[in-house]
């Protein structure tokens, strides 16, 4: 179900950005997708969403993420 996956994906991205305990995970993702501090937050969120949607499951598991 695409809608359910979309909702889970949005929830995962929001948790990453809103919970400071996830900063390490977020920084690892930023390194993988070449995002830096000057990138606007909304663009970062979209790039992280795209990364999570397309990354191999094994890579997401290493980060402690799942959708």
């Amino acid at each position: 179900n695409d809608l359910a996956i979309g909702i889970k994906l949005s929830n995962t991205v929001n948790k990453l950005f809103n919970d400071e305990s996830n900063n390490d995970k977020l920084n690892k993702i930023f390194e993988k997708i070449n995002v830096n501090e000057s990138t606007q937050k909304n663009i970062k969120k979209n790039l992280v969403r795209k990364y999570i949607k397309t990354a191999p499951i094994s890579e997401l598991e290493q980060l402690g993420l799942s959708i």
Side-chain angles (χ1 to χ4, degrees):
N1 186 333
D2 287 345
L3 183 59
I5 292 171
I7 291 169
K8 281 186 175 181
L9 190 56
S10 291
N11 287 340
T12 301
V13 171
N14 286 332
K15 280 183 199 168
L16 279 172
F17 277 87
N18 296 328
D19 185 348
E20 287 185 18
S21 68
N22 290 318
N23 284 353
D24 286 345
K25 292 178 189 176
L26 207 48
N27 288 330
K28 286 178 185 173
I29 294 172
F30 288 162
E31 284 178 29
K32 290 178 184 281
I33 60 176
N34 296 321
V35 170
N36 60 36
E37 290 302 313
S38 65
T39 307
Q40 293 175 344
K41 186 174 181 180
N42 61 329
I43 294 172
K44 285 181 186 176
K45 276 186 144 180
N46 287 336
L47 291 171
V48 168
R49 182 177 287 112
K50 182 177 178 185
Y51 166 78
I52 292 172
K53 191 173 183 179
T54 59
I57 292 173
S58 59
E59 204 170 292
L60 293 177
E61 286 174 348
Q62 288 175 350
L63 292 166
L65 299 173
S66 65
I67 55 164

